[in-house]
Amino acid sequence: MIRLLERLGVPRVLMLGFLAVAIFMTGDGFELTFLSKFMVDQGFTSSQASLLVTVYGLFAAAGGWSAGMLAEMFGACWWIGIHLLFLGVAIPSRIYPLILGLYALRGIGYPLFIYSFVVLMAQHISPSRLASATGFFWTCFSLGIGVFGAYLPSFIMPVFGEYRTFWFALPFSIVGTIMCFLFVPKNKVVKGEGLSRKEQLKELAEGATILVTNRKILICAIIRIINNLLLYGFPVIMPLYLCTTHNGGINIFKTEEWMRIWGFVFVVTLIFNTFWGWFMDRFGWVWPMRWFGCAVLAVGSVAFYYIPQWFGANALMMIVASIIVGIGTCAFSSLPTIMTLYAGEGKQGAALSAYNLAAGLTTFAGPGVATILLPVIGYGGVCWTYAALYVLAFVLTLFIRPRQPGFDEHGHRIAKAKNGTAPQDDAVPAVNTVSEESIGVGVAAAEAV
């Protein structure tokens, strides 16, 4: 097993760190699939429940954007401390502003922990192996937040109840933090190397301004935001739709059944995170994103609404819908590469920062759509809105045509290099090298989920 991981580019010194990420994110994902239903059961409205997750996503986006400058241990300890206050003080108080504020603050913690580990990867792993190691990193992330984070509470909650299940998240996060502290090397800080704090702040600012100055990167960022709408929106609305009668819910599944159905999304990502990267490098970057990403997710958006209407409490058909969503969600893995190509020399770090900002904003946008529209157009309307946004992303992919090594200007694979350079719609360099410092500030250079 150790040799297999080393072939994937994972050095022995970081192997326990990858395990720590999976364990920590198991704790972070514990309440993801049932928090909205819990809030409604406590007497809050569906809008208040979805707003809770929306604001959490906004703060998580801020944490992820700045993670390159802060320590992973700070983020882990912050998460644990705020989670204790959230469970021990906020929820028992039933004071919504307090619940909202503390849960939002907790959102800062996990991006600081996991994305700072990406910085550590850049310092210890050869650039030639970094892409493979990053793919394994996101597999560990999905294994924690989506697989164990969904399935474990689905068995715990029927025995201990929803509120007590929240507390079971703490042992996982504490163990992950201790493992990181004891067995993971600290970030290398060598005087005279890397970026200064002023330069880091400038790099982060450029991650936002490049969205204004570079239209192609803005298009890619919008696609990235749309990419994970279902991943963060459905855990808010589907427990209400499938497990309650609130706002026209059909109440045909138990909460734990819904959690196990949704867990299949992440089981699928364990395979397709790696598959789509391999496939796109060989057959093209954009058209798989267009058809297997945008188009498939548009279908998955409405499938989750109509399958229960047509087939009733058919868990097998819902699992099929989850598999569809999982396959489509992973089909955007070429976006960070495309964005760094469009950025040009010297701007790759800013492009990655913009990518990470967009990846964070999707955790805000997914539940945000539900917060705004659910009281007005109901569950079906929200699902169709998600589908329309994926159609928009489909159209936007028509405007990005990066020059991919080994392909001609029409996106067709060429058998061998030709003399001269074919004319391109987008004059971008064929190959760019991203420094460790740029990866550190841009963080999540190859995030798929």
Side-chain angles (χ1 to χ4, degrees), residues 19-174:
L19 180 59
V21 167
I23 293 174
F24 184 90
M25 292 312 300
T26 297
D28 183 77
F30 242 63
E31 80 278 355
L32 183 64
T33 52
F34 68 93
L35 177 62
S36 61
K37 180 180 179 296
F38 172 80
M39 291 294 292
V40 170
D41 290 344
Q42 300 305 304
F44 297 102
T45 67
S46 57
S47 294
Q48 288 176 314
S50 58
L51 179 63
L52 189 67
V53 184
T54 301
V55 176
Y56 179 87
L58 183 62
F59 277 69
W65 190 32
S66 59
M69 300 193 301
L70 298 173
E72 63 271 14
M73 291 306 300
F74 171 81
C77 294
W78 176 274
W79 191 98
I80 293 169
I82 299 298
H83 190 67
L84 284 168
L85 291 174
F86 176 69
L87 297 183
V89 178
I91 289 181
S93 75
R94 295 177 180 267
I95 300 174
Y96 184 75
L98 181 61
I99 295 173
L100 182 67
L102 283 175
Y103 194 65
L105 289 174
R106 203 197 80 176
I108 298 174
Y110 92 82
L112 296 182
F113 177 79
I114 65 163
Y115 292 159
S116 294
F117 185 76
V118 177
V119 179
L120 194 65
M121 288 166 55
Q123 296 173 344
H124 286 270
I125 300 174
S126 167
S128 64
R129 309 297 297 276
L130 188 58
S132 297
T134 304
F136 182 69
F137 169 83
W138 288 112
T139 296
C140 293
F141 175 89
S142 295
L143 189 66
I145 194 173
V147 180
F148 292 135
Y151 284 110
L152 288 178
S154 76
F155 294 105
I156 294 171
M157 192 179 63
V159 179
F160 294 96
E162 293 176 340
Y163 176 69
R164 290 187 179 92
T165 300
F166 287 132
W167 288 92
F168 280 86
L170 278 169
F172 292 95
S173 298
I174 291 172

Side-chain angles (χ1 to χ4, degrees), residues 256-294:
E256 57 267 28
E257 291 174 330
W258 144 251
M259 294 162 74
R260 293 164 194 166
I261 289 169
W262 187 246
F264 271 89
V265 171
F266 291 91
V267 172
V268 170
T269 65
L270 298 181
I271 300 171
F272 279 88
N273 269 340
T274 302
F275 170 78
W276 281 125
W278 170 86
F279 185 90
M280 289 179 170
D281 279 342
R282 285 155 181 79
F283 301 104
W285 285 339
V286 178
W287 72 265
M289 185 195 316
R290 180 181 304 137
W291 291 102
F292 292 101
C294 302

